[in-house]
Amino acid sequence: MDVTRNDVERMIDASLGATPAPTLAQVEEFVRKTLNYNFATTLTEPFFIRGNADILHQAGKELVSVISYPLGGMTHEAKLYQAKQALKDGADELDISMDVSAFKSGRYDYVKEDLKPFVDMMEGRIMKMIYFASLLTEDEQLRAAEMAIELGIPYLKTNTGFGFVTTTDQVKLIKDHYHDAIKVMTSGGVRTKEDAIAMIEAGAERIATSSAFKIVDSFQD
C-alpha cells in the first residue's frame, strides 16, 4: 500500500495528550499550530472548547472533544449534560467512552442504553465510541463492535492513550470481522510515520495521536 503524507494527514485527530494539564495558552498555541495542517480534526478536552472552536471554525477546521473520559464511569445524566454542553460550545465531533466497568461486569444492555441517546443527539455529526480494546478480550472487543454497529455509531476508538498502546491486531480483529460495517480509529502508541502507516495498512480509517506534527513532518525527510 502506497501511503502518502496527504493520506495520513487527513486521517489524524491531533491532540495535546502528551502534555498533562496544559495551560490555556499552551492549548491555544497548539490549536493555532494545527491550522497549518490538514488534519481531520483537532482534539481538546471540554474545558478548552470555547474559544478554540472559534479559532478552528474561522479557518474552516473542525474540533473534536471527549465525553466521560477516559473510562465512561460518569452517571448517564452527567454524560448527557457534558455532551450537550460540548456541542453547544462548538464541538463538531465527540469521542464518547462506553462504561468499561459496566461492560466488563456483563451489563451489556445497560451500556447499550447508556449510549443510545448520543446517536440522536449528534444529528449526523461523527460520534466515536471509545471501547478500550486493551482492557478487553477478543470476544469482548467483538461484542463492543457489534453493539456500536447496532446503535448506528460510525466509529470505534480503540483506546485513550495514557500508556495503553493499540496494536495492529486489535484493528485487524474488528476490520476482519465487520469490514465496512464500522470504521476504526486507532488511539494510543501511534508516534511515528511507520506506526501510522502500519495502522492504515491494518485497516484504520482515523488516527488519534499527540505526535501529529512529528508524524506528518517526517514525510519530508
PDB file of all heavy atoms in Angstrom, residues 5 10 12 30 42-43 55-56 70 73-74 80 87 95 99 144 151 164 174 177 179 196 209-210:
ATOM      1  N   ARG A   5       1.802  11.351   2.515  1.00  0.00           N
ATOM      2  CA  ARG A   5       1.638  12.333   3.594  1.00  0.00           C
ATOM      3  C   ARG A   5       0.192  12.815   3.640  1.00  0.00           C
ATOM      4  O   ARG A   5      -0.405  12.927   4.710  1.00  0.00           O
ATOM      5  CB  ARG A   5       2.571  13.520   3.374  1.00  0.00           C
ATOM      6  CG  ARG A   5       2.240  14.699   4.292  1.00  0.00           C
ATOM      7  CD  ARG A   5       3.107  15.910   4.017  1.00  0.00           C
ATOM      8  NE  ARG A   5       2.555  17.071   4.731  1.00  0.00           N
ATOM      9  CZ  ARG A   5       3.269  17.970   5.393  1.00  0.00           C
ATOM     10  NH1 ARG A   5       4.584  17.874   5.431  1.00  0.00           N
ATOM     11  NH2 ARG A   5       2.690  18.979   6.003  1.00  0.00           N
ATOM     12  N   ARG A  10      -4.829  13.660   6.608  1.00  0.00           N
ATOM     13  CA  ARG A  10      -6.283  13.818   6.622  1.00  0.00           C
ATOM     14  C   ARG A  10      -6.986  12.796   7.512  1.00  0.00           C
ATOM     15  O   ARG A  10      -8.188  12.880   7.723  1.00  0.00           O
ATOM     16  CB  ARG A  10      -6.831  13.736   5.193  1.00  0.00           C
ATOM     17  CG  ARG A  10      -6.419  14.931   4.346  1.00  0.00           C
ATOM     18  CD  ARG A  10      -6.947  14.836   2.923  1.00  0.00           C
ATOM     19  NE  ARG A  10      -6.558  15.986   2.132  1.00  0.00           N
ATOM     20  CZ  ARG A  10      -7.188  17.159   2.133  1.00  0.00           C
ATOM     21  NH1 ARG A  10      -8.264  17.316   2.887  1.00  0.00           N
ATOM     22  NH2 ARG A  10      -6.760  18.155   1.386  1.00  0.00           N
ATOM     23  N   ILE A  12      -5.794  12.187  10.695  1.00  0.00           N
ATOM     24  CA  ILE A  12      -5.347  12.430  12.065  1.00  0.00           C
ATOM     25  C   ILE A  12      -6.284  13.335  12.850  1.00  0.00           C
ATOM     26  O   ILE A  12      -6.714  14.375  12.368  1.00  0.00           O
ATOM     27  CB  ILE A  12      -3.928  13.041  12.054  1.00  0.00           C
ATOM     28  CG1 ILE A  12      -2.895  11.957  11.691  1.00  0.00           C
ATOM     29  CG2 ILE A  12      -3.580  13.678  13.401  1.00  0.00           C
ATOM     30  CD1 ILE A  12      -1.473  12.477  11.600  1.00  0.00           C
ATOM     31  N   PHE A  30      -1.151  25.338  20.588  1.00  0.00           N
ATOM     32  CA  PHE A  30      -1.261  24.068  19.874  1.00  0.00           C
ATOM     33  C   PHE A  30      -2.344  24.141  18.792  1.00  0.00           C
ATOM     34  O   PHE A  30      -2.126  23.736  17.638  1.00  0.00           O
ATOM     35  CB  PHE A  30      -1.575  22.950  20.864  1.00  0.00           C
ATOM     36  CG  PHE A  30      -2.061  21.679  20.241  1.00  0.00           C
ATOM     37  CD1 PHE A  30      -1.187  20.835  19.590  1.00  0.00           C
ATOM     38  CD2 PHE A  30      -3.411  21.331  20.299  1.00  0.00           C
ATOM     39  CE1 PHE A  30      -1.635  19.661  18.999  1.00  0.00           C
ATOM     40  CE2 PHE A  30      -3.861  20.165  19.733  1.00  0.00           C
ATOM     41  CZ  PHE A  30      -2.974  19.327  19.080  1.00  0.00           C
ATOM     42  N   THR A  42      -8.989  18.649  15.293  1.00  0.00           N
ATOM     43  CA  THR A  42      -8.115  18.931  16.428  1.00  0.00           C
ATOM     44  C   THR A  42      -8.891  18.591  17.697  1.00  0.00           C
ATOM     45  O   THR A  42     -10.056  18.966  17.834  1.00  0.00           O
ATOM     46  CB  THR A  42      -7.701  20.411  16.446  1.00  0.00           C
ATOM     47  OG1 THR A  42      -6.916  20.687  15.277  1.00  0.00           O
ATOM     48  CG2 THR A  42      -6.891  20.749  17.682  1.00  0.00           C
ATOM     49  N   LEU A  43      -8.247  17.863  18.611  1.00  0.00           N
ATOM     50  CA  LEU A  43      -8.921  17.415  19.824  1.00  0.00           C
ATOM     51  C   LEU A  43      -8.548  18.292  21.009  1.00  0.00           C
ATOM     52  O   LEU A  43      -7.372  18.554  21.247  1.00  0.00           O
ATOM     53  CB  LEU A  43      -8.552  15.961  20.127  1.00  0.00           C
ATOM     54  CG  LEU A  43      -9.304  15.300  21.291  1.00  0.00           C
ATOM     55  CD1 LEU A  43      -9.465  13.813  21.035  1.00  0.00           C
ATOM     56  CD2 LEU A  43      -8.614  15.517  22.636  1.00  0.00           C
ATOM     57  N   ILE A  55     -11.478  29.599  16.826  1.00  0.00           N
ATOM     58  CA  ILE A  55     -10.219  29.678  16.073  1.00  0.00           C
ATOM     59  C   ILE A  55     -10.229  28.682  14.915  1.00  0.00           C
ATOM     60  O   ILE A  55      -9.879  29.019  13.774  1.00  0.00           O
ATOM     61  CB  ILE A  55      -9.016  29.400  17.005  1.00  0.00           C
ATOM     62  CG1 ILE A  55      -8.863  30.521  18.027  1.00  0.00           C
ATOM     63  CG2 ILE A  55      -7.728  29.227  16.198  1.00  0.00           C
ATOM     64  CD1 ILE A  55      -7.869  30.197  19.141  1.00  0.00           C
ATOM     65  N   LEU A  56     -10.645  27.472  15.205  1.00  0.00           N
ATOM     66  CA  LEU A  56     -10.665  26.431  14.174  1.00  0.00           C
ATOM     67  C   LEU A  56     -11.733  26.682  13.125  1.00  0.00           C
ATOM     68  O   LEU A  56     -11.495  26.559  11.918  1.00  0.00           O
ATOM     69  CB  LEU A  56     -10.870  25.060  14.830  1.00  0.00           C
ATOM     70  CG  LEU A  56      -9.658  24.557  15.630  1.00  0.00           C
ATOM     71  CD1 LEU A  56     -10.074  23.473  16.616  1.00  0.00           C
ATOM     72  CD2 LEU A  56      -8.587  24.030  14.683  1.00  0.00           C
ATOM     73  N   PRO A  70     -11.715   9.022  31.018  1.00  0.00           N
ATOM     74  CA  PRO A  70     -11.448   8.102  29.920  1.00  0.00           C
ATOM     75  C   PRO A  70     -12.274   6.819  29.906  1.00  0.00           C
ATOM     76  O   PRO A  70     -12.419   6.193  28.873  1.00  0.00           O
ATOM     77  CB  PRO A  70      -9.976   7.759  30.158  1.00  0.00           C
ATOM     78  CG  PRO A  70      -9.819   7.799  31.642  1.00  0.00           C
ATOM     79  CD  PRO A  70     -10.738   8.883  32.122  1.00  0.00           C
ATOM     80  N   GLY A  73     -17.085   6.144  33.298  1.00  0.00           N
ATOM     81  CA  GLY A  73     -17.699   5.873  34.591  1.00  0.00           C
ATOM     82  C   GLY A  73     -18.605   6.954  35.135  1.00  0.00           C
ATOM     83  O   GLY A  73     -19.086   6.829  36.268  1.00  0.00           O
ATOM     84  N   MET A  74     -18.862   8.024  34.353  1.00  0.00           N
ATOM     85  CA  MET A  74     -19.786   9.056  34.812  1.00  0.00           C
ATOM     86  C   MET A  74     -21.210   8.530  34.801  1.00  0.00           C
ATOM     87  O   MET A  74     -21.534   7.571  34.103  1.00  0.00           O
ATOM     88  CB  MET A  74     -19.696  10.290  33.895  1.00  0.00           C
ATOM     89  CG  MET A  74     -18.362  11.011  33.947  1.00  0.00           C
ATOM     90  SD  MET A  74     -18.210  12.292  32.656  1.00  0.00           S
ATOM     91  CE  MET A  74     -19.539  13.407  33.122  1.00  0.00           C
ATOM     92  N   LEU A  80     -24.808  12.995  29.499  1.00  0.00           N
ATOM     93  CA  LEU A  80     -25.697  13.719  28.591  1.00  0.00           C
ATOM     94  C   LEU A  80     -25.452  15.220  28.683  1.00  0.00           C
ATOM     95  O   LEU A  80     -25.366  15.919  27.663  1.00  0.00           O
ATOM     96  CB  LEU A  80     -27.159  13.406  28.919  1.00  0.00           C
ATOM     97  CG  LEU A  80     -27.684  12.047  28.493  1.00  0.00           C
ATOM     98  CD1 LEU A  80     -29.106  11.857  29.013  1.00  0.00           C
ATOM     99  CD2 LEU A  80     -27.662  11.895  26.976  1.00  0.00           C
ATOM    100  N   LEU A  87     -21.305  20.212  22.535  1.00  0.00           N
ATOM    101  CA  LEU A  87     -21.839  20.593  21.223  1.00  0.00           C
ATOM    102  C   LEU A  87     -22.232  22.067  21.209  1.00  0.00           C
ATOM    103  O   LEU A  87     -21.986  22.780  20.228  1.00  0.00           O
ATOM    104  CB  LEU A  87     -23.036  19.708  20.877  1.00  0.00           C
ATOM    105  CG  LEU A  87     -22.729  18.221  20.664  1.00  0.00           C
ATOM    106  CD1 LEU A  87     -24.023  17.443  20.456  1.00  0.00           C
ATOM    107  CD2 LEU A  87     -21.788  18.011  19.479  1.00  0.00           C
ATOM    108  N   ASP A  95     -15.975  12.022  20.954  1.00  0.00           N
ATOM    109  CA  ASP A  95     -15.491  10.686  21.264  1.00  0.00           C
ATOM    110  C   ASP A  95     -16.029  10.336  22.647  1.00  0.00           C
ATOM    111  O   ASP A  95     -15.625  10.937  23.651  1.00  0.00           O
ATOM    112  CB  ASP A  95     -13.964  10.659  21.268  1.00  0.00           C
ATOM    113  CG  ASP A  95     -13.361  10.970  19.902  1.00  0.00           C
ATOM    114  OD1 ASP A  95     -14.128  11.119  18.929  1.00  0.00           O
ATOM    115  OD2 ASP A  95     -12.124  11.066  19.816  1.00  0.00           O
ATOM    116  N   ASP A  99     -19.095   2.704  29.169  1.00  0.00           N
ATOM    117  CA  ASP A  99     -18.805   2.411  30.559  1.00  0.00           C
ATOM    118  C   ASP A  99     -18.066   1.070  30.610  1.00  0.00           C
ATOM    119  O   ASP A  99     -18.676   0.000  30.572  1.00  0.00           O
ATOM    120  CB  ASP A  99     -20.095   2.354  31.378  1.00  0.00           C
ATOM    121  CG  ASP A  99     -19.842   2.297  32.877  1.00  0.00           C
ATOM    122  OD1 ASP A  99     -18.851   1.655  33.277  1.00  0.00           O
ATOM    123  OD2 ASP A  99     -20.623   2.890  33.634  1.00  0.00           O
ATOM    124  N   ALA A 144     -18.304  -5.425  21.694  1.00  0.00           N
ATOM    125  CA  ALA A 144     -18.387  -3.963  21.704  1.00  0.00           C
ATOM    126  C   ALA A 144     -18.631  -3.430  20.299  1.00  0.00           C
ATOM    127  O   ALA A 144     -19.428  -2.501  20.103  1.00  0.00           O
ATOM    128  CB  ALA A 144     -17.100  -3.373  22.279  1.00  0.00           C
ATOM    129  N   LEU A 151     -26.181   0.228  17.302  1.00  0.00           N
ATOM    130  CA  LEU A 151     -26.591   1.576  17.685  1.00  0.00           C
ATOM    131  C   LEU A 151     -26.468   2.579  16.545  1.00  0.00           C
ATOM    132  O   LEU A 151     -27.012   3.687  16.634  1.00  0.00           O
ATOM    133  CB  LEU A 151     -25.749   2.054  18.875  1.00  0.00           C
ATOM    134  CG  LEU A 151     -26.041   1.405  20.227  1.00  0.00           C
ATOM    135  CD1 LEU A 151     -24.953   1.756  21.230  1.00  0.00           C
ATOM    136  CD2 LEU A 151     -27.407   1.857  20.750  1.00  0.00           C
ATOM    137  N   PHE A 164      -1.754   3.079  27.271  1.00  0.00           N
ATOM    138  CA  PHE A 164      -2.348   1.933  26.584  1.00  0.00           C
ATOM    139  C   PHE A 164      -2.045   2.026  25.096  1.00  0.00           C
ATOM    140  O   PHE A 164      -2.455   2.975  24.430  1.00  0.00           O
ATOM    141  CB  PHE A 164      -3.859   1.880  26.830  1.00  0.00           C
ATOM    142  CG  PHE A 164      -4.200   1.495  28.233  1.00  0.00           C
ATOM    143  CD1 PHE A 164      -4.381   2.457  29.219  1.00  0.00           C
ATOM    144  CD2 PHE A 164      -4.316   0.157  28.592  1.00  0.00           C
ATOM    145  CE1 PHE A 164      -4.685   2.096  30.521  1.00  0.00           C
ATOM    146  CE2 PHE A 164      -4.621  -0.213  29.895  1.00  0.00           C
ATOM    147  CZ  PHE A 164      -4.810   0.763  30.855  1.00  0.00           C
ATOM    148  N   ILE A 174     -11.263  -6.181  14.356  1.00  0.00           N
ATOM    149  CA  ILE A 174     -12.539  -5.538  14.037  1.00  0.00           C
ATOM    150  C   ILE A 174     -12.774  -5.506  12.530  1.00  0.00           C
ATOM    151  O   ILE A 174     -13.869  -5.843  12.043  1.00  0.00           O
ATOM    152  CB  ILE A 174     -12.578  -4.106  14.610  1.00  0.00           C
ATOM    153  CG1 ILE A 174     -12.386  -4.119  16.130  1.00  0.00           C
ATOM    154  CG2 ILE A 174     -13.897  -3.418  14.225  1.00  0.00           C
ATOM    155  CD1 ILE A 174     -13.393  -4.915  16.900  1.00  0.00           C
ATOM    156  N   HIS A 177     -13.635  -8.907  10.878  1.00  0.00           N
ATOM    157  CA  HIS A 177     -14.966  -9.423  11.194  1.00  0.00           C
ATOM    158  C   HIS A 177     -16.086  -8.566  10.619  1.00  0.00           C
ATOM    159  O   HIS A 177     -17.118  -9.096  10.190  1.00  0.00           O
ATOM    160  CB  HIS A 177     -15.147  -9.529  12.718  1.00  0.00           C
ATOM    161  CG  HIS A 177     -14.554 -10.769  13.306  1.00  0.00           C
ATOM    162  ND1 HIS A 177     -13.204 -10.903  13.546  1.00  0.00           N
ATOM    163  CD2 HIS A 177     -15.120 -11.948  13.702  1.00  0.00           C
ATOM    164  CE1 HIS A 177     -12.976 -12.102  14.064  1.00  0.00           C
ATOM    165  NE2 HIS A 177     -14.111 -12.741  14.173  1.00  0.00           N
ATOM    166  N   HIS A 179     -15.576  -5.524   8.525  1.00  0.00           N
ATOM    167  CA  HIS A 179     -15.266  -4.838   7.266  1.00  0.00           C
ATOM    168  C   HIS A 179     -15.739  -3.380   7.295  1.00  0.00           C
ATOM    169  O   HIS A 179     -15.332  -2.620   8.159  1.00  0.00           O
ATOM    170  CB  HIS A 179     -15.852  -5.634   6.097  1.00  0.00           C
ATOM    171  CG  HIS A 179     -15.453  -7.075   6.121  1.00  0.00           C
ATOM    172  ND1 HIS A 179     -14.175  -7.499   5.834  1.00  0.00           N
ATOM    173  CD2 HIS A 179     -16.162  -8.201   6.447  1.00  0.00           C
ATOM    174  CE1 HIS A 179     -14.105  -8.829   5.957  1.00  0.00           C
ATOM    175  NE2 HIS A 179     -15.288  -9.274   6.342  1.00  0.00           N
ATOM    176  N   ALA A 196       1.935   4.995  11.965  1.00  0.00           N
ATOM    177  CA  ALA A 196       0.711   5.425  11.288  1.00  0.00           C
ATOM    178  C   ALA A 196       0.447   4.570  10.052  1.00  0.00           C
ATOM    179  O   ALA A 196      -0.694   4.121   9.821  1.00  0.00           O
ATOM    180  CB  ALA A 196       0.817   6.896  10.901  1.00  0.00           C
ATOM    181  N   THR A 209      -3.566  10.996  17.784  1.00  0.00           N
ATOM    182  CA  THR A 209      -2.176  10.999  18.221  1.00  0.00           C
ATOM    183  C   THR A 209      -1.761  12.364  18.748  1.00  0.00           C
ATOM    184  O   THR A 209      -2.233  13.402  18.270  1.00  0.00           O
ATOM    185  CB  THR A 209      -1.228  10.582  17.080  1.00  0.00           C
ATOM    186  OG1 THR A 209       0.125  10.634  17.547  1.00  0.00           O
ATOM    187  CG2 THR A 209      -1.385  11.486  15.869  1.00  0.00           C
ATOM    188  N   SER A 210      -0.876  12.326  19.744  1.00  0.00           N
ATOM    189  CA  SER A 210      -0.267  13.562  20.240  1.00  0.00           C
ATOM    190  C   SER A 210       1.056  13.840  19.524  1.00  0.00           C
ATOM    191  O   SER A 210       1.757  14.783  19.888  1.00  0.00           O
ATOM    192  CB  SER A 210      -0.039  13.472  21.749  1.00  0.00           C
ATOM    193  OG  SER A 210       0.788  12.363  22.065  1.00  0.00           O
TER     194      SER A 210
END
